[in-house]
Amino acid sequence: MSSPSDKETCYKLLYNYFEHETFSNLMMNKEGVSDFVRAAVYGTITYLIAIDHIVKHASGKDVSSMDNKTATIVRFGSWQLLFSEKVPDYAAISSSVELAKKYCPASSGFVNAVLRKLQSLPQEQKEISFYKPNIRCCLKPEIYGIFKKNYGQEKALSIGEALLRIQPTTIRVNTLKTTVEVLSQRLEEEGFKVTKSSFMPDALAITPLEGRSIDRAKSYDDGL
């Protein structure tokens, strides 16, 4: 489970992104940024359109009308409730309230109320597949409209949903130190889904589980 310091780091990075338009990839290039922080920051940004829509659907509150500190905490808490498989609901809400007490005390009760309304939604309404196509794809209506105009509704939805999927990374096995079979098993033990790559015999396609990063894996450090 993530630590309180990780969640505070997420808040600070997201606040800088929303307030100062700091590029997320530059924010992530820092020592000590955990896998959870990477997953949470990228996840909140990626699903922002859906998060804002579902928050308004659940609470009647427009996130864009909130001050940036409150909005950042609501968005980060909402990502944890809607998209994280590792953070329990109670932890997502309580840690968000604690962040609010520290950074925007007057909003702590408001943050609690909004997130609890989100938590109380029927499960089907917590899934982005419940909503209209551009929300399902986390695309602005005008962008989704371009896809729809050029490719039709069915193809546009397929393209939009594909953009949200975590794409596999292709790696080359260091056959001076290990084999494809041995490294495949080791990477699976380290939290990656592994399949053979079509590019070359000594390559693997890996898909990380939430928060995992290949450059932080023990196999990577060992030069495999």
Side-chain angles (χ1 to χ4, degrees):
M1 188 181 296
S2 59
S3 67
S5 61
D6 273 349
K7 292 190 176 181
E8 188 162 12
T9 299
C10 289
Y11 164 76
K12 291 177 179 178
L13 291 173
L14 287 166
Y15 179 78
N16 283 331
Y17 175 83
F18 294 128
E19 178 73 9
H20 304 298
E21 299 184 345
T22 308
F23 288 110
S24 57
N25 63 318
L26 299 179
M27 297 189 300
M28 291 295 103
N29 292 334
K30 297 182 179 182
E31 292 294 328
V33 174
S34 71
D35 288 334
F36 173 80
V37 172
R38 289 173 180 266
V41 171
Y42 285 134
T44 303
I45 293 170
T46 298
Y47 289 100
L48 184 63
I49 289 175
I51 287 170
D52 285 2
H53 183 85
I54 299 174
V55 166
K56 187 173 183 179
H57 171 76
S59 67
K61 306 297 182 182
D62 194 331
V63 181
S64 64
S65 68
M66 303 174 192
D67 67 272
N68 273 350
K69 292 179 179 180
T70 302
T72 299
I73 294 170
V74 166
R75 285 164 167 167
F76 174 40
S78 297
W79 174 81
Q80 294 174 81
L81 288 172
L82 296 170
F83 299 104
S84 175
E85 297 178 356
K86 294 186 176 180
V87 182
D89 285 2
Y90 74 86
I93 295 172
S94 63
S95 62
S96 297
V97 171
E98 290 305 309
L99 285 171
K101 287 179 179 178
K102 182 171 183 177
Y103 291 99
C104 47
S107 296
S108 60
F110 175 80
V111 168
N112 182 62
V114 169
L115 294 181
R116 289 198 179 279
K117 286 183 178 179
L118 192 63
Q119 181 192 28
S120 66
L121 282 176
Q123 185 57 43
E124 65 175 6
Q125 295 180 32
K126 296 179 183 179
E127 306 290 338
I128 58 175
S129 58
F130 178 80
Y131 298 93
K132 58 186 179 181
N134 77 287
I135 302 301
R136 291 171 62 174
C137 301
C138 295
L139 293 171
K140 293 181 178 180
E142 56 269 30
I143 301 299
Y144 184 79
I146 292 172
F147 286 160
K148 183 178 177 181
K149 179 179 179 182
N150 284 280
Y151 300 105
Q153 172 77 341
E154 184 176 346
K155 186 69 172 178
L157 183 59
S158 176
I159 293 171
E161 291 180 332
L163 292 173
L164 286 177
R165 294 191 200 108
I166 297 175
Q167 299 301 315
T169 298
T170 300
I171 61 171
R172 187 171 183 179
V173 180
N174 182 355
T175 54
L176 297 176
K177 291 188 173 184
T178 187
T179 66
V180 170
E181 291 73 25
V182 170
L183 183 58
S184 295
Q185 181 175 349
R186 182 163 168 174
L187 286 170
E188 287 178 349
E189 292 170 354
E190 292 185 47
F192 296 89
K193 178 183 177 183
V194 183
T195 57
K196 292 293 293 291
S197 171
S198 60
F199 294 114
M200 54 198 306
D202 55 353
L204 294 169
I206 60 170
T207 304
L209 301 179
E210 182 183 303
R212 300 296 297 161
S213 175
I214 186 59
D215 61 352
R216 293 166 181 263
K218 185 67 165 54
S219 298
Y220 181 89
D221 289 340
D222 291 344
L224 303 184

